Amino acid sequence: MWYFLLTMRVIIELFLFHFIHPYQGGSDYLYHQKGVRTSEALAISWALLMVQTAYYLAGVSLGISLSDHFNINEGLQVPYKVFQLALLFALLKTIFYPIWGWITVQFWSAIIKFFARLYDKDRTIQLDEHSQFIATSSLVSNTFLLVPILGPPVQTIASFFYIFAGVKKVLHFTTLQGVIVILSPVILMASMLLMLILNLALTLSVLMA
């Protein structure tokens, strides 16, 4: 029992160290192989998401109570199904977070490896481990979920910063290369949307000809 608690303490301290010192955390990993494992980061992030979900449930419950007290539902005709769907979404997001979090880490790891090879940064045989560490380190941004209301949007922005810091410190990307990496999902989605629009326009032009 004491060994488990001591291990958890070390893991949490390392998690918070990477949260507070992203660049120093990258150096410690690079030279001393000190980093939080993906499973450990996911477990801590899951607990943080549970706290954020508790905030959300408390807010929804307060909203329902106030709407009942002031008869807001009657005037605005806001159905309880909206609240029920919101609660269901929050609970499902929390329950399935480990799966979604793991997919997110693998997605970013694949993107980082792609750009590392593109920028000729794959000379190290540890590229898989390095990219996995950088993607995992972005999970420390979930610490912001402890902040009510503003926590989730700040967490999203911060996750990009931790990836940026990781590719710069661990893989020695330039600032421009790091920015391209964190913007690549947006560029990819925009390219896919553009291709879809062009295909639809081409199809309509053929049908109308």
Side-chain angles (χ1 to χ4, degrees):
M1 182 64 180
W2 287 109
Y3 176 78
F4 172 77
L5 293 176
L6 181 61
T7 302
M8 287 301 300
R9 177 185 174 182
V10 172
I11 293 172
I12 293 173
E13 287 178 350
L14 189 57
F15 186 90
L16 292 177
F17 178 82
H18 283 277
F19 172 73
I20 299 172
H21 306 286
Y23 286 98
Q24 183 61 42
S27 295
D28 284 356
Y29 166 77
L30 194 60
Y31 298 109
H32 306 292
Q33 298 299 303
K34 291 176 60 178
V36 182
R37 297 176 182 175
T38 302
S39 58
E40 297 167 347
L42 284 173
I44 297 174
S45 297
W46 198 10
L48 294 171
L49 182 61
M50 290 179 186
V51 175
Q52 193 265 331
T53 302
Y55 291 155
Y56 183 79
L57 294 177
V60 170
S61 299
L62 179 62
I64 293 175
S65 299
L66 291 176
S67 64
D68 286 340
H69 181 74
F70 295 104
N71 296 320
I72 296 176
N73 280 345
E74 294 182 3
L76 298 177
Q77 298 181 348
V78 179
Y80 277 104
K81 288 185 177 180
V82 175
F83 294 112
Q84 293 173 350
L85 290 174
L87 290 173
L88 179 62
F89 175 77
L91 291 174
L92 289 176
K93 183 178 70 171
T94 303
I95 293 171
F96 293 104
Y97 172 78
I99 299 174
W100 172 249
W102 183 84
I103 292 173
T104 302
V105 169
Q106 303 312 313
F107 171 77
W108 276 111
S109 179
I111 287 181
I112 292 168
K113 283 189 287 187
F114 170 80
F115 281 101
R117 295 188 177 100
L118 182 66
Y119 297 145
D120 194 26
K121 304 289 185 177
D122 60 337
R123 297 174 183 176
T124 171
I125 60 174
Q126 295 180 313
L127 179 59
D128 289 340
E129 290 81 0
H130 289 352
S131 61
Q132 188 76 9
F133 164 78
I134 296 169
T136 298
S137 66
S138 68
L139 294 178
V140 302
S141 63
N142 288 310
T143 307
F144 284 109
L145 295 179
L146 293 174
V147 181
I149 302 176
L150 295 178
V154 173
Q155 180 272 326
T156 301
I157 297 172
S159 65
F160 291 108
F161 167 75
Y162 285 106
I163 291 175
F164 175 79
V167 295
K168 284 202 67 178
K169 196 66 179 180
V170 177
L171 294 177
H172 308 295
F173 280 27
T174 66
T175 299
L176 178 59
Q177 290 171 342
V179 170
I180 292 175
V181 169
I182 62 176
L183 291 180
S184 59
V186 177
I187 297 173
L188 178 62
M189 291 180 62
S191 300
M192 294 176 63
L193 181 60
L194 179 60
M195 291 179 61
L196 179 61
I197 293 173
L198 291 175
N199 286 332
L200 287 175
L202 181 61
T203 302
L204 288 175
S205 63
V206 172
L207 291 175
M208 296 176 65

